[in-house]
Amino acid sequence: MRRSPLATLLLAALVLPACLPRVTTRPPSPSLTTVADSLFESVENEGTLASVFMVDAATGTPLYSRHQHVRLLPASTMKVVSTSAALSAFGPDYRFRTPVRLEGTQLGNLFLGDLVVEASGDPSLGSWRFPETTVACEQLAEAIHTRGIQQWIGAVRVINADEGPYGLFGPGWAWDDAAYAYSAAPSLFVFRENVVDLSLERPEGQDCNTQPRRPITVRYSPAFEAPPTVVYLEPNAQRAGLGCVRERGSGSIRCVWRSTAEQCPRKANMRVAIDDPRALFASCLEESLAVRGIWRVPAAPQTAAVPSATTSEPLLEFVSPSLAELVKVTNKESLNLYAERLGLRFTRERTGTESYTALRDAMAQELTRRGISPRLLRAADGSGLSRYNVATAQGLVGVIYTSLKEPYGPALLESLPIAGVDGTLANTAANNGAKGLIRAKTGTLSGQKAFVGVAERPHDSEHPRVVFAMMLGNIDEQPTLTANQVFERFAEAMVSLPLR
């Protein structure tokens, strides 16, 4: 029986696929877009808000975006705003200068009068972070000794240091933040970052589980007239450690010293904030003077018989590290005090006054100059502690992008922590391909996490460097992925995957 041509064709169509090699469909190669979309969709399904934006560092061309207009708390990424504003106004080589002079009369080795310090807003005066600032009291004592002074009757005065109407703390700071050393008041006169070292020591042979027969030894360094300090012992705690806070109103220090069955340390120490940096400065100076055999009697110079006219003579001038160095420690270590002082100093330069109301206006004008709308970014303070700050990923990217176009750009970039290397990113992305290729400022508040910075893409000749911001809000207490894990995955995609 002859087959019809149609039947022959149908039979061939059925047999032919079995004769041909089987073609397998490969899944598409991962790209930055697909990986990021999947990543942020997964965290959003848990209720977290995500605002993400990425642009080419040279052209500003958007390369990835997700809810880039959503407003969230920037936390410490606000330090990028204040430090870049200060660098823009003063330049990386700017240094704070704090003049010191003697006002009175010197009679042989006796000085009758005051030592006068003119506050400059330098956040690093007396700080332990720099070799030149650590020895401030020794430098001043040596200058006095060089003049042949062995006895001094008079006072230590700090002028131009009134806090002003804005008070000691920024708007929107939480009370449970303000009690700790990381939120030391950003007063116009700062000494030793407005903190002291507090150390506790148990009596020899004292068991952690019994009440001490003798009191706990409490020491402050530098030594000064410390506020009352109360120590509560908490044995059998889940974790050993010391926590001390300055109580508002009374000014006293309250410490809780915890121990476990396995850990019963005899000594513990931490830093606590103080309310009067002028008293701390005077105490530090007296210690250094005593080493040189110079003694001060705290009496007003007019109470002594002064046989000749009072004179005012320069003694020395404290000079801070360069602004580039100050900005570097501010951003790498996320120092709130430094960020506030730099933001307020910028405000004084732009408006002639220091207040947080003026800061908000000055920052708004600076951001407008850069083409960044107040709807995208609004500053209430310099550090990010304020809950009144609001920002979007697009606004934060705009700060970095515009900074890279200005002469101070390299100094700001150099100040950002490096993933897996230093600062607040030292332990982030340390074991993946993003190590060393990302510089970013981090920000953390309860339930909030933000990152803003620059990523290098060594395998992409078209977009070798990008500026990005990733903000997460309303983070659950026990998410499937922590905020740092989300960032690490996004960071690795940014430096290694094709865009699409």
Side-chain angles (χ1 to χ4, degrees):
M1 181 177 70
R2 297 179 62 190
R3 293 189 180 94
S4 68
L6 179 59
T8 303
L9 288 173
L10 290 173
L11 180 62
L14 293 172
V15 173
L16 186 60
C19 301
L20 295 176
R22 181 172 296 175
V23 178
T24 59
T25 302
R26 295 181 179 178
S29 299
S31 68
L32 171 70
T33 301
T34 58
V35 169
D37 281 346
S38 176
L39 176 65
F40 294 121
E41 183 178 351
S42 69
V43 300
E44 288 169 350
N45 286 339
E46 293 185 342
T48 296
L49 297 173
S51 177
V52 191
F53 197 50
M54 186 178 82
V55 304
D56 183 275
T59 65
T61 303
L63 303 176
Y64 180 81
S65 63
R66 188 179 185 91
H67 309 313
Q68 70 271 24
H69 295 109
V70 170
R71 300 185 189 96
L72 295 169
L73 289 178
S76 282
T77 57
M78 186 56 67
K79 293 179 175 66
V80 169
V81 181
S82 55
T83 55
S84 68
L87 285 167
S88 176
F90 304 110
D93 296 328
Y94 173 81
R95 296 173 188 268
F96 288 89
R97 296 181 179 275
T98 306
V100 183
R101 65 180 184 269
L102 292 176
E103 289 187 355
T105 301
Q106 184 171 344
L107 303 173
N109 61 13
L110 171 64
F111 175 68
L112 303 172
D114 292 350
L115 182 140
V116 180
V117 182
E118 188 173 339
S120 67
D122 178 7
S124 69
L125 181 61
S127 171
W128 58 89
R129 299 182 193 277
F130 306 97
E132 62 267 47
T133 60
T134 301
V135 293
C137 293
E138 287 81 358
Q139 288 177 332
L140 190 51
E142 184 60 29
I144 294 172
H145 180 263
T146 300
R147 286 182 172 251
I149 297 173
Q150 295 180 1
Q151 186 175 4
W152 166 21
I153 301 176
V156 177
R157 288 195 290 123
V158 179
I159 63 173
N160 301 331
D162 292 337
E163 284 77 17
Y166 57 87
L168 291 174
F169 299 102
W173 287 19
W175 284 115
D176 53 353
D177 287 335
Y180 293 92
Y182 64 75
S183 62
S187 49
L188 185 55
F189 178 73
V190 174
F191 183 71
R192 206 179 178 271
E193 302 186 10
N194 291 354
V195 300
V196 294
D197 294 316
L198 181 153
S199 63
L200 303 181
E201 184 175 351
R202 300 179 195 273
E204 187 71 39
Q206 179 62 51
D207 191 304
C208 280
N209 294 318
T210 59
Q211 192 66 24
R213 295 181 300 276
R214 288 178 287 136
I216 299 289
T217 301
V218 180
R219 293 188 179 91
Y220 285 94
S221 178
F224 78 118
E225 190 174 344
T229 303
V230 181
V231 181
Y232 299 94
L233 300 179
E234 186 178 313
N236 302 315
Q238 293 184 344
R239 186 186 308 172
L242 172 65
C244 298
V245 299
R246 188 183 67 256
E247 294 183 331
R248 303 307 303 162
S250 69
S252 63
I253 304 295
R254 176 172 52 85
C255 296
V256 178
W257 195 359
R258 298 177 177 87
S259 59
T260 67
E262 296 78 22
Q263 292 180 293
C264 179
R266 186 162 174 261
K267 298 180 181 180
N269 60 79
M270 67 173 296
R271 290 193 171 105
V272 296
I274 51 98
D275 285 333
D276 191 355
R278 305 182 213 193
L280 180 61
F281 171 71
S283 296
C284 177
L285 175 58
E286 287 191 9
E287 282 188 5
S288 295
L289 289 172
V291 171
R292 292 162 176 79
I294 303 171
W295 305 100
R296 179 176 79 89
V297 178
Q302 57 267 30
T303 62
V306 182
S308 60
T310 297
T311 61
S312 178
E313 296 184 18
L315 183 61
L316 61 71
E317 184 177 64
F318 293 120
V319 181
S320 77
S322 69
L323 183 57
E325 294 177 84
L326 298 180
V327 167
K328 182 180 288 188
V329 297
T330 300
N331 286 332
K332 284 191 180 291
E333 301 182 42
S334 205
L335 303 180
N336 295 321
L337 176 70
Y338 282 59
E340 294 296 345
R341 284 303 333 149
L342 295 181
L344 289 167
R345 179 64 184 89
F346 166 79
T347 299
R348 175 152 45 104
E349 181 70 14
R350 288 289 187 262
T351 69
T353 186
E354 283 196 11
S355 73
Y356 281 103
T357 300
L359 181 146
R360 179 169 174 164
D361 293 340
M363 290 298 180
Q365 292 171 12
E366 172 67 11
L367 293 171
T368 299
R369 180 185 72 82
R370 301 179 186 216
I372 302 172
S373 166
R375 292 182 177 274
L376 298 177
L377 182 56
R378 185 176 70 243
D381 70 358
S383 67
L385 277 177
S386 176
R387 273 67 172 177
Y388 298 157
N389 294 307
V390 291
T392 65
Q394 184 174 347
L396 290 174
V397 163
V399 173
I400 299 288
Y401 174 73
T402 54
S403 295
L404 294 178
K405 301 296 183 183
E406 300 197 11
Y408 66 85
L412 182 67
L413 187 61
E414 184 70 17
S415 76
L416 300 179
I418 304 173
V421 176
D422 64 12
T424 56
L425 284 183
N427 299 317
T428 303
N431 299 313
N432 69 23
K435 180 179 180 179
L437 294 177
I438 287 183
R439 290 178 176 269
K441 182 72 195 78
T442 63
T444 306
L445 286 172
S446 299
Q448 315 287 320
K449 191 77 176 184
F451 303 82
V452 57
V454 172
E456 307 293 340
R457 293 173 52 82
H459 307 298
D460 186 346
S461 59
E462 185 178 2
H463 305 291
R465 173 183 281 181
V466 297
V467 180
F468 72 91
M470 185 193 94
M471 306 181 71
L472 302 176
N474 293 348
I475 302 172
D476 186 70
E477 290 185 355
Q478 293 181 319
T480 303
L481 293 175
T482 66
N484 281 346
Q485 289 172 329
V486 174
F487 175 68
E488 287 182 348
R489 297 189 183 191
F490 180 55
E492 189 167 18
M494 275 195 294
V495 303
S496 62
L497 294 181
L499 297 176
R500 292 175 179 80

